[in-house]
Amino acid sequence: MTNQKVGLKELLELKLQSLVSELKVDFSAIAFYDPLNLEFRWRLAIGSLNNRYTSIVVRSGKGICGRTLKTKREFIITNFPEELQDESLEFPILIIEELKSAASVPLLFHSQLIGVLLIGQRTRRRFDTIEIESMKYAADEISSLYMLEREAEQTPPDEKKETKKSSLSRYFVEEKSKWGDKLEIILLDQRITLLSEEAQQSLISIFNLLFERAIGAENNSKVKVMIELKSEQQFAIQIKTDHILELPEEVFSLLADEVRKINGSIEMVFDNKRTILTMNFFLSLLLRDQLWNTIQESSNL
């Protein structure tokens, strides 16, 4: 008999089923956060009445997901919709699943909120501290599964016994050696080296295009690259040159397309005789594209 690897979607469904059985609830689900569009979408559920939950889109400040995002702690509803009164329409997952009571906890990855774990009951119920702690434990397990799957995806089988630097780390070392004092790299947010190999290669292509234009075209030019945390969800890459960086329209268009491929934005401003080019990326979105999208695609099959 051939052993088949259980995918992330199946593992998460098992966790949701275990939570339903352990806490004797009617419903459990996971919503993932999309920081680019500032919205939540429900992707997996156990005990659902139908698949309508997959069509729900909730803005980040609304509903049970928005409350959880804001506080990064549990949110409990005992008597829906009475206790929420005029706000009840902001909780569509409770409406379509006919839930009377519900509780949610955040899913965190490196202190970033990547989703929300929800349980619900179709009769009135007060969730106690022990049950909330069980949810938090399950949330930690789900986040751990995420990290393990991500590491397994990034590491080729022949490298699993040997720790190696990421492609970006090696690239930065090689470029620093190549350009010497002309290139200064300040890596304040090292999470960038934990991205998927595909995302790292995309960033390397972007850097190659910029370095050749910014350094190779000017004999005495200097370029400063700073990679820093902008928020819990966002990191920025800022490239400063000590001269006016001239990028033909077709080159800038190509660069912008490469940035958009990995869900980033780009802007370039001129300050006296300097050029400042800034690229912003949502780390959670890059991570979601690596694993969470596979869940969505599997669910649509």
Side-chain angles (χ1 to χ4, degrees):
M1 182 175 64
T2 302
N3 291 326
Q4 292 185 337
K5 180 182 177 181
V6 178
L8 182 61
K9 176 179 179 290
E10 289 76 16
L11 289 172
L12 295 184
E13 285 178 337
L14 287 173
K15 288 297 178 184
L16 291 178
Q17 182 62 64
S18 176
L19 203 57
V20 166
S21 300
E22 178 188 349
L23 300 182
K24 295 180 173 57
V25 291
D26 296 321
F27 179 80
S28 66
I30 295 175
F32 296 130
Y33 180 50
D34 178 350
L36 185 63
N37 296 308
L38 302 178
E39 64 187 28
F40 287 89
R41 288 180 178 269
W42 296 98
R43 301 300 190 189
L44 295 174
I46 295 295
S48 60
L49 298 177
N50 49 57
N51 289 327
R52 291 175 62 197
Y53 71 88
T54 60
S55 64
I56 295 176
V57 179
V58 182
R59 300 298 291 174
S60 62
K62 304 295 184 180
I64 200 163
C65 292
R67 305 290 180 90
T68 309
L69 171 66
K70 182 178 180 180
T71 63
K72 287 191 176 179
R73 55 172 299 170
E74 68 272 11
F75 180 70
I76 302 172
I77 299 171
T78 302
N79 188 23
F80 181 82
E82 287 78 3
E83 72 180 67
L84 293 170
Q85 298 181 358
D86 295 339
E87 296 178 282
S88 61
L89 291 179
E90 294 182 6
F91 296 77
I93 187 68
L94 305 187
I95 295 173
I96 67 170
E97 290 297 338
E98 301 177 11
L99 300 175
K100 191 70 173 177
S101 303
S104 66
V105 296
L107 296 174
L108 301 172
F109 176 63
H110 289 319
S111 299
Q112 300 172 71
L113 186 131
I114 57 176
V116 169
L117 174 63
L118 172 73
I119 60 171
Q121 193 79 20
R122 295 189 173 97
T123 55
R124 185 172 177 176
R125 173 174 174 175
R126 186 178 299 277
F127 294 105
D128 59 32
T129 302
I130 295 177
E131 290 167 329
I132 298 301
E133 288 303 313
S134 295
M135 284 189 71
K136 291 179 179 179
Y137 182 77
D140 288 341
E141 287 188 320
I142 289 170
S143 297
S144 296
L145 283 173
Y146 169 82
M147 288 184 284
L148 289 173
E149 284 291 312
R150 180 165 167 268
E151 289 172 359
E153 181 180 281
Q154 285 186 207
T155 308
D158 58 348
E159 293 184 8
K160 287 184 178 179
K161 294 182 180 180
E162 181 181 357
T163 302
K164 292 188 177 183
K165 290 184 177 180
S166 69
S167 294
L168 265 177
S169 296
R170 294 195 302 270
Y171 174 77
F172 287 147
V173 171
E174 292 167 359
E175 290 299 293
K176 181 63 180 173
S177 176
K178 175 181 177 180
W179 299 111
D181 293 338
K182 291 185 176 183
L183 177 63
E184 180 182 4
I185 299 174
I186 302 175
L187 189 59
L188 299 179
D189 189 353
Q190 299 189 356
R191 295 175 304 169
I192 191 174
T193 62
L194 299 175
L195 300 179
S196 69
E197 181 64 22
E198 181 180 358
Q200 291 191 50
Q201 290 300 328
S202 294
L203 287 172
I204 288 172
S205 297
I206 292 169
F207 285 130
N208 277 334
L209 191 156
L210 288 171
F211 291 167
E212 289 297 331
R213 290 274 176 174
I215 307 176
E218 298 284 341
N219 291 331
N220 298 317
S221 63
K222 290 187 177 181
V223 173
K224 180 178 181 179
V225 179
M226 181 174 291
I227 302 169
E228 60 182 333
L229 178 71
K230 301 300 289 185
S231 69
E232 289 187 354
Q233 299 283 352
Q234 189 178 29
F235 69 92
I237 300 173
Q238 189 176 78
I239 299 175
K240 295 182 180 180
T241 69
D242 60 359
H243 61 282
I244 297 298
L245 176 60
E246 296 183 1
L247 290 179
E249 183 178 348
E250 63 272 14
V251 175
F252 184 81
S253 178
L254 174 63
L255 180 63
D257 286 342
E258 289 298 318
V259 172
R260 281 193 291 266
K261 284 180 183 177
I262 48 177
N263 301 302
S265 62
I266 183 172
E267 63 177 349
M268 188 164 64
V269 298
F270 302 100
D271 178 15
N272 295 325
K273 294 183 178 180
R274 300 185 307 164
T275 301
I276 303 175
L277 187 147
T278 304
M279 296 175 287
N280 293 296
F281 299 93
F282 288 96
L283 180 66
S284 296
L285 189 59
L286 289 176
L287 299 179
R288 184 206 67 177
D289 281 347
Q290 190 177 336
L291 289 175
W292 299 148
N293 274 357
T294 61
I295 294 174
Q296 180 184 0
E297 290 167 3
S298 298
S299 300
N300 292 336
L301 292 179

